[in-house]
Amino acid sequence: MKYVLRLMVLTIKSTQPVQVLTKRILHKDGHTFVEAIISLGVMLILASLVPLLLSPIQKHPPSIQLEETSVFLSMLGKEVREGKSVEIRNNGLYITQTTGDVLSFTKYHSLIRKQVNGLGHEVWVQNIQEMLIEKQSDTSLKVTVIDTKGKELMRVFRRLK
C-alpha cells in the first residue's frame, strides 16, 4: 500500500508540468482575424520585393541568338556523326543517312534550314548573316555561323569511320 501511494504521488508530480502547459495554451489570447489579414498583407508586400532585391545579383543569360546557334551546332553534330556520308556543295552541308535519305543544311535568306531529299523547309536557326563550311580532313569538318550582329560561333565535327 505504501508503494502504491508513493507511485500515485510521483505520477501526479510528473504530470504537473504538462497540466500547466496545457492551461497556458488553452487560456492564451489568440490573434483576431483582422490582425491575421494585416500580417498576411505585410508578408505579401515583403515577398513581392524579394525579386527586386535579388535582380542585381542574378547572372543574365547569354543572348537567345547565341543559345539557338549553339543548339543548332549540337544537333548538327549528332546528324554528322550518325550520317553515312557527308558532302559539301555550294556552301551547303549534305548528309546521307543510313536509310538513304539526304539531309541538307543550307543558308536561305537569313535562315539556316534543313531539307530531307530536297523537300520541306525546317528552320533551324534565324538571323544568320553567313554559314561557312570547310572540310578539314576526310573525317572532320568545320562549321562557322555568323549572326546578323557579327557574333561568330564555330565548331569542328569529327566523324568515325
Side-chain angles (χ1 to χ4, degrees):
M1 185 80 161
K2 184 177 174 183
Y3 293 111
V4 173
L5 287 174
R6 189 169 184 171
L7 184 60
M8 288 176 62
V9 170
L10 286 175
T11 306
I12 292 171
K13 284 184 180 179
S14 65
T15 59
Q16 281 178 348
V18 175
Q19 291 172 352
V20 170
L21 186 61
T22 54
K23 282 183 185 178
R24 281 190 182 170
I25 291 173
L26 293 176
H27 296 337
K28 184 177 177 190
D29 292 334
H31 296 285
T32 64
F33 183 68
V34 175
E35 289 173 329
I37 294 296
I38 290 172
S39 63
L40 182 63
V42 170
M43 284 177 41
L44 287 173
I45 289 171
L46 291 176
S48 68
L49 295 176
V50 169
L52 294 174
L53 297 173
L54 295 178
S55 64
I57 299 170
Q58 292 176 341
K59 185 175 88 172
H60 296 288
S63 72
I64 294 172
Q65 180 66 39
L66 183 63
E67 286 184 38
E68 183 180 337
T69 306
S70 181
V71 168
F72 161 70
L73 290 172
S74 296
M75 299 290 286
L76 184 63
K78 178 182 177 277
E79 296 291 348
V80 167
R81 284 188 300 276
E82 292 177 357
K84 186 172 151 185
S85 67
V86 176
E87 185 181 344
I88 301 169
R89 286 182 290 179
N90 299 332
N91 206 29
L93 184 62
Y94 296 85
I95 303 169
T96 304
Q97 295 181 316
T98 54
T99 61
D101 291 334
V102 177
L103 304 178
S104 64
F105 295 91
T106 56
K107 182 178 176 298
Y108 179 75
H109 298 293
S110 65
L111 310 169
I112 295 177
R113 70 175 176 182
K114 173 187 170 185
Q115 292 181 305
V116 180
N117 297 325
L119 302 172
H121 178 82
E122 185 179 344
V123 176
W124 277 42
V125 186
Q126 301 179 59
N127 303 320
I128 296 301
Q129 180 180 343
E130 196 168 353
M131 178 175 77
L132 303 169
I133 304 168
E134 302 172 33
K135 188 172 186 175
Q136 292 190 322
S137 69
D138 288 341
T139 58
S140 67
L141 61 102
K142 180 171 109 174
V143 177
T144 306
V145 177
I146 303 169
D147 68 6
T148 53
K149 293 181 180 176
K151 291 189 180 180
E152 189 175 303
L153 201 59
M154 183 269 304
R155 293 258 172 93
V156 175
F157 301 108
R158 288 186 174 74
R159 300 188 66 237
L160 301 174
K161 281 194 169 188

